[in-house]
Amino acid sequence: MNRTLILLVAVVILGAGAYFLMSEEKQGTVSSVVGADREFSVPREDVYKVFLGDRNGNRTTLTRTSSGWVYNDEYPARPDAVENLLTAVDKIRMRFKPADAAIPNMIDGLATQGIKVEIYGKDNELLKTYYIGGATNDERGTHIILDGAEQPYVAEIPGWEGNLRFRYNLIGDDWRDRTIFRLNPENITSVSVEYPKQQNKSFRIDYNEAPKVEPFYPLTPRIQKPLQPSRVQAYRNNFEKIIASGFNNLNRERDEITQQIPFAIITVDTKNEDTQSLQLFPIFGKPFVDPKTGTTTQPTEVTGYYGLTHANDFMILQNPMVSKILWAYDFFYE
């Protein structure tokens, strides 16, 4: 009788203990030995560096600095791309443990196509390492495994549906900030816009003391109408943020395009003697072939611009963004 009672008490105690551990692990307040291989997140405030690498040789290092995040110790990183990554690093959670039958394929995919993720803290200490794989069939979860673990899982960001991999797998210039001009208007001392094929539209603005607008080419007749100071100031404000839609450095026709006469050359000088410039080359729509006559028509409508920056980057800009700085000489006058 006493033996039976003792066994019953032992079973109750063990059951209560197991329930407590399971409940605590589910709530995220305890990381047990069993659950340690499913703890993937790192608070974003603790993250100072992220390394990403894949089996194709792509290597990315994002580092937090006093002036913002830097890509591969050289270029300002793209803010929205870094934000997407840090959100994943901070909020990633296990969605479910896969069935045993699915594990071999998951392991194989993680080994061959996985992205290695190393997360470092303020003192360059390694905080977490894991591998991000492909998505589940419904695209609502992403395969993941901690470095050194044997059990893969399916991860998610709670409240968000989609493949997490895209937040980690940007390559090369896709991580770079696309901003061409990001200037404090008060620091701009002069702006010149040269239209080689429309010289009478070209101009130069001197913002020292009282702003002056003059023709860029000496032979262009000066406009004798009153200057509109509000337009001169509004134009300078447009250089606070000019952003390209993307880099195009790998374009095979880059050299051929940049050897042509630019549509416009924009040059900005600042108080710290920094000079930034942008050459613009129009992008036209694709030629149209008349099915009846077989004749080819080249569209004259400009759909966007290629831009060559002072840093020798080749970029693509959309019309609404470019129109903010492609003004004409006579627009500043009544």
Side-chain angles (χ1 to χ4, degrees):
M1 183 70 177
N2 290 339
R3 182 179 180 186
T4 301
L5 180 61
I6 292 173
L7 289 174
L8 179 62
V9 171
V11 169
V12 171
I13 293 174
L14 290 173
Y19 173 81
F20 173 79
L21 287 175
M22 290 175 66
S23 298
E24 289 293 275
E25 183 183 343
K26 183 177 181 180
Q27 296 172 13
T29 57
V30 172
S31 177
S32 66
V33 174
V34 174
D37 65 348
R38 62 187 68 172
E39 296 291 336
F40 305 109
S41 67
V42 177
R44 63 187 302 152
E45 61 269 21
D46 295 339
V47 180
Y48 281 78
K49 184 172 74 172
V50 180
F51 168 82
L52 306 168
D54 61 28
R55 295 183 68 88
N56 294 323
N58 297 304
R59 299 290 182 268
T60 296
T61 301
L62 299 164
T63 308
R64 187 200 295 191
T65 70
S66 58
S67 58
W69 285 83
V70 176
Y71 162 67
N72 282 1
D73 298 323
E74 185 174 2
Y75 304 105
R78 201 175 106 212
D80 61 321
V82 173
E83 177 61 26
N84 284 336
L85 176 65
L86 291 179
T87 298
V89 167
D90 179 59
K91 297 183 179 298
I92 191 169
R93 299 289 187 274
M94 182 194 79
R95 186 180 183 203
F96 62 83
K97 180 180 178 181
D100 290 344
I103 290 178
N105 286 336
M106 290 179 64
I107 293 292
D108 182 63
L110 285 161
T112 57
Q113 302 176 12
I115 300 170
K116 186 177 185 181
V117 182
E118 295 177 355
I119 303 168
Y120 294 84
K122 186 174 183 179
D123 298 320
N124 206 38
E125 72 275 22
L126 182 61
L127 303 178
K128 188 81 66 174
T129 303
Y130 54 80
Y131 294 83
I132 285 284
T136 55
N137 291 335
D138 61 5
E139 293 287 331
R140 294 183 178 180
T142 307
H143 301 161
I144 189 171
I145 189 170
L146 276 180
D147 186 40
E150 297 180 357
Q151 174 66 53
Y153 294 94
V154 173
E156 66 173 357
I157 292 178
W160 182 87
E161 290 189 358
N163 186 354
L164 292 177
R165 184 182 175 92
F166 89 92
R167 296 173 182 255
Y168 297 82
N169 73 343
L170 301 183
I171 296 174
D173 286 342
D174 289 338
W175 284 109
R176 293 179 57 190
D177 188 356
R178 299 170 180 171
T179 302
I180 296 177
F181 295 111
R182 180 178 281 139
L183 301 171
N184 181 345
E186 298 300 322
N187 289 333
I188 296 176
T189 57
S190 69
V191 178
S192 67
V193 178
E194 176 186 2
Y195 300 103
K197 295 183 179 180
Q198 296 177 299
Q199 296 190 6
N200 64 324
K201 302 293 185 182
S202 307
F203 61 90
R204 189 193 311 274
I205 304 178
D206 184 352
Y207 284 102
N208 291 307
E209 300 179 358
K212 294 187 300 182
V213 182
E214 300 177 334
F216 183 87
Y217 294 96
L219 297 180
T220 300
R222 292 176 177 271
I223 295 176
Q224 302 303 320
K225 298 178 181 179
L227 184 67
Q228 294 280 9
S230 61
R231 294 182 182 179
V232 179
Q233 182 57 43
Y235 182 72
R236 182 166 65 164
N237 292 341
N238 288 340
F239 287 91
E240 282 189 290
K241 186 181 291 186
I242 299 295
I243 302 176
S245 59
F247 287 87
N248 202 226
N249 284 319
L250 300 181
N251 190 327
R252 295 180 180 179
E253 298 178 352
R254 168 180 171 156
D255 291 342
E256 179 182 347
I257 294 170
T258 55
Q259 288 173 6
Q260 300 173 11
I261 297 176
F263 171 76
I265 303 171
I266 302 166
T267 305
V268 183
D269 293 314
T270 62
K271 290 180 179 179
N272 61 1
E273 298 183 350
D274 178 38
T275 299
Q276 300 183 25
S277 64
L278 175 67
Q279 298 181 48
L280 293 172
F281 304 86
I283 301 174
F284 299 98
K286 295 182 179 180
F288 173 76
V289 179
D290 189 317
K292 294 181 179 180
T293 64
T295 58
T296 301
T297 302
Q298 176 64 54
T300 58
E301 180 182 0
V302 176
T303 60
Y305 291 87
Y306 293 114
L308 183 64
T309 72
H310 61 280
N312 202 36
D313 279 312
F314 196 55
M315 311 183 79
I316 294 179
L317 296 92
Q318 300 301 320
N319 281 327
M321 186 64 65
V322 175
S323 64
K324 295 167 60 177
I325 54 177
L326 286 183
W327 290 21
Y329 174 39
D330 58 359
F331 189 78
F332 297 98
Y333 294 85
E334 290 183 0

